[in-house]
């Protein structure tokens, strides 16, 4: 599996130190997607809120899809309704989705949301404004941010920008780019004033992409089928042969009474040939 | 259990019909108002009772199908042949119910066929959906012999007969893949599933425990059938199944302990936290106790005690699957999940349909040996090739004689 983040893919950097909590990003996201909610009330992700902000002490914690380089959601989707684009975003195709919700179970960040009260439900999550990206524009949330707290650019640029900000003001920042290496890297990265776990983000995720865990097993299955099939057939042949031999002995003894069963033995010989 | 010992069919029929009526109403609500209207599923708990019980347990409890067919057709352990039909019926009904329950659980059941044409080989769920589809087909082919026999279609029986062995081999492979892959499903959530259940050996543990569940179901059903219809398997066969079950439980328990030990989990297993208590319920009540019980020949020879051990094994299996799919997630997801009343009633609806279909099968098809004797007596000597439809093509005459000898009814 491809585990190397593409440098030129589009990404988002969220700088919690610069964020003032104005919720301009949330508002822009709601407007772009024609969602009815109020920005000030949007503290949790939902099927009608692709980004949300809650306060953790004095800090503003933004939630959204991380657009993983090797996304679990896309890996587990049986029909490929979710996939990682070369441009960067992980996007969802409603017309393919069967509604198994494995993406929601598998997402290490608990991002995808479901339309629980619809008879034709779909999975909902941030698409990183892929249509805007295609036109060369930044995401709606980045465009709305007046403080440089949410910025859009190539992943390479943003990693460099994050390093620069941390280096220029080491007292204000915790020296870690959350998402640079976590789970093989994500296209949404955070820099924070404190260790991320103290801010309610999932920490200690490791650097190995999670899809490797299932692929390690799945890639062995063709071998299991071939070896298993051969072993079962071999077992059958041995036990069958053993029965035939003992049957032949028995038939020799009870030739007169077992007329009908000779045919069965004959069939077996035929099967084997 | 007293109600079962003196079956009052009118009462149970009334219960059955009431459950079906409620189920149909809830079915209407589910498909017009969405999953939220009938379930307690949420963004924190996208999978609940229907995945944990209907799917994981349904598939596991159907495992007798591949275990017994392999034992009889591949390894030629003929004394278990009288069991074949009951386990195939169970497995076939089990898979039909799993597919039906999935139609309720997945959000867009009309798109259920998508995995057959929209491939993602990296997805365990893709593998699972192919296994369900193919194995249900194989089970139908294995089961069709009983229908052809009932309809007296000798030519169809002959065709069905000829493909029995390939079906058995395919069935064993598909089942092995399917049972284990339900464990593989959870390998992608190391950060969410509690470490008492999250382990790299989940696929193997799921496979072995399904073998135990399949054997326990065999003992369980035979007893129920004997109470309801006076049809059952003979004690020597059930005792034999109990002996094998003890061995499987022993291997499963040893592997479980070894796995927990190597990961340094004994402390957490015994600290009496919520997870620890649920683990002990599963491990002690549903594994250790039935295992120790089945070690005693007296337990295995006594119908009631054997039945008790089987029921404990089944309950332990169900607890394990619910722990993996629900309990183990509650800590990381920060909350609890309990199924809603409607959600539970829909599961009860499916279980009731399963019992009903099994009862119909036992009554009208040639499932248990007492029945088979009655039907099969004439064909056995005259036309062996159109005798019992499920009889192996490969069965040698002497072995067939042996099998028939075992089948003499006790009554």
């Amino acid at each position: 599996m491809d585990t190397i983040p593409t440098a030129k893919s589009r990404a988002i950097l969220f700088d919690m130190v610069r964020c003032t909590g104005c919720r301009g990003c949330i508002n822009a996201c709601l407007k772009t997607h024609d969602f009815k909610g109020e920005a000030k009330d949007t503290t949790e992700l939902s099927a009608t809120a692709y980004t949300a902000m809650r306060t953790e002490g004095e800090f503003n914690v933004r939630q959204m899809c991380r657009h993983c380089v090797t996304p679990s959601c896309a890996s587990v989707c049986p029909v490929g309704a979710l996939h990682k684009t070369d441009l960067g975003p992980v996007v969802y195709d409603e017309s393919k989705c069967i509604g198994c919700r494995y993406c929601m179970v598998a997402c290490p960040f608990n991002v995808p949301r479901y339309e629980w009260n619809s008879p034709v439900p779909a999975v909902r999550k941030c698409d990183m404004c892929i249509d805007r990206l295609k036109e060369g524009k930044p995401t709606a949330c980045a465009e709305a941010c007046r403080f440089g707290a949410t910025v859009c650019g190539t992943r390479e640029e943003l990693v460099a920008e994050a390093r620069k900000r941390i280096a220029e003001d080491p007292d204000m920042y915790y020296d870690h780019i959350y998402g640079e290496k976590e789970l093989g890297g994500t296209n949404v990265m955070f820099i924070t004033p404190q260790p991320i776990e103290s801010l309610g983000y999932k920490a200690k995720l490791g650097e190995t992409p999670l899809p490797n865990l299932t692929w390690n097993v799945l890639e062995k299955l063709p071998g299991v089928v071939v070896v298993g099939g051969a072993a079962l057939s071999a077992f059958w042949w041995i036990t069958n042969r053993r029965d035939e031999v003992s049957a032949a002995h028995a038939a020799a003894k009870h030739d007169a009474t077992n007329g009908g069963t000779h045919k069965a033995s004959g069939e077996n010989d035929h099967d084997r040939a | 259990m007293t109600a079962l010992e003196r079956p009052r069919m009118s009462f149970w029929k009334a219960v059955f019909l009431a459950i079906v009526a409620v189920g149909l109403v809830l079915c209407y609500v589910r498909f017009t108002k969405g999953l939220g209207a009938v379930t307690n599923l949420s963004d924190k708990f996208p999978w609940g009772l229907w995945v944990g019980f209907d799917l994981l347990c349904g598939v596991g409890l159907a495992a007798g199908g591949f275990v017994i067919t392999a034992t009889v057709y591949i390894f030629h352990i003929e004394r278990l042949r009288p069991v074949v039909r009951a386990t195939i019926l169970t497995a076939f009904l089990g898979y039909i119910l799993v597919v039906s329950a999935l139609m309720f659980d997945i959000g867009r059941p009309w798109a259920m066929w998508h995995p057959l044409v929209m491939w993602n080989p990296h997805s365990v769920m893709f593998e699972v959906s192919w296994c369900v589809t193919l194995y249900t087909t194989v089970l139908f082919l294995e089961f069709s012999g009983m229908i052809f026999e009932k309809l007296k279609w000798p030519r169809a029986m002959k065709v069905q007969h000829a493909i029995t062995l390939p079906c058995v081999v395919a069935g064993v492979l598909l089942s092995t893949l399917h049972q284990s892959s339900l464990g593989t499903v959870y390998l992608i959530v190391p950060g969410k599933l509690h470490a008492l259940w999250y382990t790299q050996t989940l696929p193997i543990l799921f496979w072995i425990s399904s073998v135990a569940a399949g054997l326990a179901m065999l003992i369980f059903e035979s007893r129920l059938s004997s109470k309801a219809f006076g049809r059952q398997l003979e004690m020597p066969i059930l005792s034999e199944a109990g002996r094998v079950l003890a061995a499987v439980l022993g291997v499963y328990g040893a592997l479980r302990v070894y796995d927990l030990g190597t990961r340094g989990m004994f402390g957490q297993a015994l600290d009496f936290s919520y997870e620890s208590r649920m683990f002990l319920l599963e491990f002690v009540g549903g594994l250790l106790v039935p295992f120790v019980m089945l070690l005693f020949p007296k337990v295995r020879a006594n119908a009631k005690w054997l039945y008790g051990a089987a029921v404990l094994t089944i309950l332990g299996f169900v607890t394990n699957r619910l722990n993996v799919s629900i309990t183990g997630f509650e800590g990381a997801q920060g909350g609890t999940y309990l199924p809603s009343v409607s959600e539970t009633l829909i599961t009860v609806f499916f279980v009731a349909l399963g019992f009903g279909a099994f009862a119909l099968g036992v009554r009208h098809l040639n499932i248990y040996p007492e029945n088979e004797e009655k039907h099969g007596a004439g064909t056995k000597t005259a036309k062996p090739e159109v005798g019992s439809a499920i009889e192996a093509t490969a069965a040698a005459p002497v072995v067939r004689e042996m099998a028939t000898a075992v089948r003499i009814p006790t009554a």
Side-chain angles (χ1 to χ4, degrees):
Chain A
M1 300 194 86
D2 182 20
T3 58
I4 301 152
T6 32
K8 298 293 173 202
S9 65
R10 293 305 167 122
I12 292 174
L13 175 69
F14 175 65
D15 181 342
M16 199 182 284
V17 173
R18 290 203 188 180
C19 179
T20 62
C22 76
R23 295 178 174 264
C25 51
I26 313 290
N27 193 44
C29 181
L30 291 170
K31 293 284 173 299
T32 304
H33 295 97
D34 287 329
F35 292 145
K36 300 276 183 290
E38 291 284 331
K40 65 176 166 45
D41 303 325
T42 309
T43 54
E44 286 293 334
L45 296 180
S46 77
T48 54
Y50 295 168
T51 180
M53 185 177 281
R54 61 189 163 73
T55 47
E56 194 84 40
E58 55 185 307
F59 304 111
N60 304 302
V61 179
R62 223 190 126 188
Q63 286 294 347
M64 60 197 294
C65 173
R66 312 302 164 86
H67 297 279
C68 303
V69 172
T70 311
S72 290
C73 60
S75 142
V76 300
C77 181
V79 291
L82 287 148
H83 83 279
K84 176 81 176 171
T85 58
D86 289 340
L87 194 59
V90 175
V91 293
Y92 169 68
D93 180 350
E94 193 179 324
S95 68
K96 286 186 175 176
C97 180
I98 63 170
C100 73
R101 311 186 296 284
Y102 193 11
C103 50
M104 304 176 69
V105 173
C107 174
F109 304 105
N110 283 331
V111 165
R113 292 297 188 267
Y114 207 59
E115 294 174 336
W116 293 105
N117 292 309
S118 165
V120 190
V123 172
R124 296 294 176 209
K125 71 165 200 71
C126 163
D127 63 355
M128 216 200 244
C129 294
I130 185 164
D131 293 335
R132 294 173 58 97
L133 293 184
K134 280 180 184 163
E135 293 167 12
K137 291 195 263 183
T139 62
C141 57
E143 193 178 67
C145 186
R146 290 167 290 156
F147 306 97
T150 294
V151 279
C152 184
T154 67
R155 197 173 185 282
E156 191 179 47
E157 284 166 9
L158 293 184
V159 170
E161 173 68 17
R163 286 232 174 80
K164 199 177 116 217
R165 291 188 187 186
I166 294 171
E168 282 174 358
D169 211 346
D171 293 341
M172 290 300 288
Y173 290 93
Y174 178 68
D175 187 12
H176 181 77
I177 305 170
Y178 185 49
E180 187 189 4
K181 297 203 170 115
E182 273 80 9
L183 300 176
T186 56
N187 275 42
V188 171
M189 293 167 290
F190 296 170
I191 45 176
T192 55
Q194 291 181 1
I196 32 143
E197 53 267 38
S198 68
L199 298 162
Y201 289 122
K202 298 233 175 191
K204 299 195 180 74
L205 295 164
E207 294 183 5
T208 314
L210 297 179
N212 292 9
L213 295 169
T214 40
W215 184 244
N216 287 344
V217 176
L218 285 173
E219 68 177 352
K220 294 192 181 80
L221 294 185
V224 170
V225 171
V226 171
V227 174
L232 287 172
S233 306
F235 264 117
W236 172 80
W237 189 85
I238 292 167
T239 48
N240 191 52
R241 184 72 192 140
R242 197 183 287 158
D243 288 349
E244 273 178 13
V245 170
S246 56
H249 284 300
K253 282 183 194 168
H254 305 282
D255 215 1
T257 51
N258 278 359
T261 50
H262 280 307
K263 200 175 167 191
S265 309
E267 276 176 9
N268 291 339
D269 289 340
H270 185 69
D271 283 352
R272 238 169 356 92
Chain B
M1 262 13 295
T2 44
L4 270 176
E5 279 168 27
R6 281 183 200 149
R8 287 157 52 198
M9 288 314 287
S10 58
F11 170 72
W12 285 110
K13 251 181 208 164
V15 171
F16 177 78
L17 291 176
I19 292 171
V20 170
V22 171
L24 290 175
V25 172
L26 291 173
C27 172
Y28 175 78
V29 179
R30 151 72 187 88
F31 287 106
T32 51
K33 310 269 179 207
L35 284 162
V38 287
T39 70
N40 273 352
L41 296 174
S42 63
D43 290 327
K44 270 185 183 174
F45 294 95
W47 286 352
L49 183 71
W50 294 348
V51 167
F53 184 80
D54 302 25
L55 174 63
L56 295 186
C57 297
V59 168
L61 295 172
F66 87 90
V67 176
I68 298 297
T69 51
T71 311
V72 173
Y73 293 113
I74 312 256
F75 301 103
H76 286 202
I77 300 180
E78 288 292 330
R79 44 185 196 280
L80 287 179
R81 182 176 291 273
V83 172
V84 165
R85 292 181 157 220
T87 52
I88 287 181
L89 178 66
T90 309
F92 180 58
L93 292 177
Y95 267 72
I96 297 240
L97 290 172
V98 164
V99 173
S100 318
L102 276 177
M103 303 275 282
F104 273 65
D105 185 73
I106 67 172
R108 298 168 164 236
W110 54 90
M112 210 176 195
W113 53 275
H114 281 184
L116 302 184
V117 291
M118 303 169 186
W119 289 26
N120 177 15
H122 282 274
S123 165
V124 185
M125 197 59 78
F126 169 75
E127 187 212 336
V128 166
S129 42
W130 269 91
C131 284
V132 173
T133 311
L134 292 178
Y135 189 49
T136 308
T137 311
V138 166
L139 281 170
F140 172 73
L141 292 174
E142 291 184 332
F143 170 73
S144 63
M146 298 179 221
I147 298 282
F148 295 150
E149 183 190 56
K150 176 79 182 175
L151 296 173
K152 300 197 173 68
W153 289 358
R155 209 173 284 167
M157 280 169 71
K158 230 177 185 174
V159 173
Q160 194 274 340
H161 212 136
I163 57 167
T164 295
L165 193 75
C167 273
V168 168
V169 172
V172 173
L173 290 173
L174 288 167
S175 284
T176 299
L177 293 187
H178 192 198
Q179 300 288 354
S180 62
S181 63
L182 290 180
T184 315
V185 159
Y186 291 94
L187 288 186
I188 203 157
V189 287
K192 288 188 179 181
L193 180 56
H194 193 280
L196 278 174
W197 294 284
Y198 184 88
T199 159
Q200 293 297 316
T201 52
L202 264 181
I204 297 165
L205 290 174
F206 263 53
W207 186 81
I208 300 179
S209 53
S210 79
V211 174
L215 289 167
M217 275 301 277
L218 178 79
I219 298 168
F220 175 73
E221 285 164 1
S222 177
R223 172 120 180 134
L224 284 195
S225 303
S226 87
K227 292 298 169 201
F229 308 107
R231 289 172 197 164
Q232 60 178 321
L233 301 163
E234 293 73 30
M235 268 319 282
I237 295 175
L238 294 178
S239 301
E240 177 73 14
R243 205 169 61 93
V244 180
L245 176 57
V248 177
L249 286 177
V251 172
Y252 175 59
L255 187 60
R256 196 93 166 77
V257 171
Y258 173 80
D259 173 69
L260 289 169
T262 50
R263 294 186 298 117
M265 292 301 299
F266 287 151
Q268 285 195 55
L270 299 168
D271 67 7
F272 287 96
S273 62
Y274 170 59
E275 282 85 5
S276 158
R277 291 198 303 271
M278 292 305 285
F279 166 78
L280 290 173
L281 182 68
E282 162 201 334
F283 189 83
V284 177
L287 176 52
L288 209 55
V289 171
F291 170 66
V292 172
M293 279 171 77
L294 289 168
L295 288 181
F296 294 97
K298 272 187 182 167
V299 170
R300 297 200 302 266
N302 178 303
K304 268 187 189 161
W305 282 98
L306 186 61
Y307 173 73
V311 169
L312 283 180
T313 307
I314 292 167
L315 290 176
F317 173 84
V318 171
T319 313
N320 170 260
R321 295 306 194 257
L322 293 178
N323 279 344
V324 170
S325 60
I326 296 167
T327 316
F329 279 85
E330 289 182 330
Q333 296 299 85
T336 51
Y337 160 85
L338 264 183
S340 72
V341 174
S342 309
E343 202 175 353
T344 315
L345 282 173
I346 288 176
T347 291
V348 172
F349 168 65
F350 281 118
V351 174
L353 287 184
F355 271 88
F358 189 81
L360 275 183
V362 173
R363 215 181 271 181
H364 297 290
L365 300 172
N366 204 0
I367 304 297
Y368 285 114
E370 286 181 9
N371 228 2
E372 197 171 280
E373 275 306 305
K374 225 172 12 190
H375 288 264
T379 52
K380 187 181 63 197
T381 44
K383 294 178 194 163
E385 73 273 23
V386 277
S388 158
I390 290 293
E391 296 259 349
T393 48
V398 164
V399 185
R400 195 181 296 217
E401 288 291 324
M402 272 169 49
T404 319
V406 181
R407 258 183 254 152
I408 294 167
T410 44

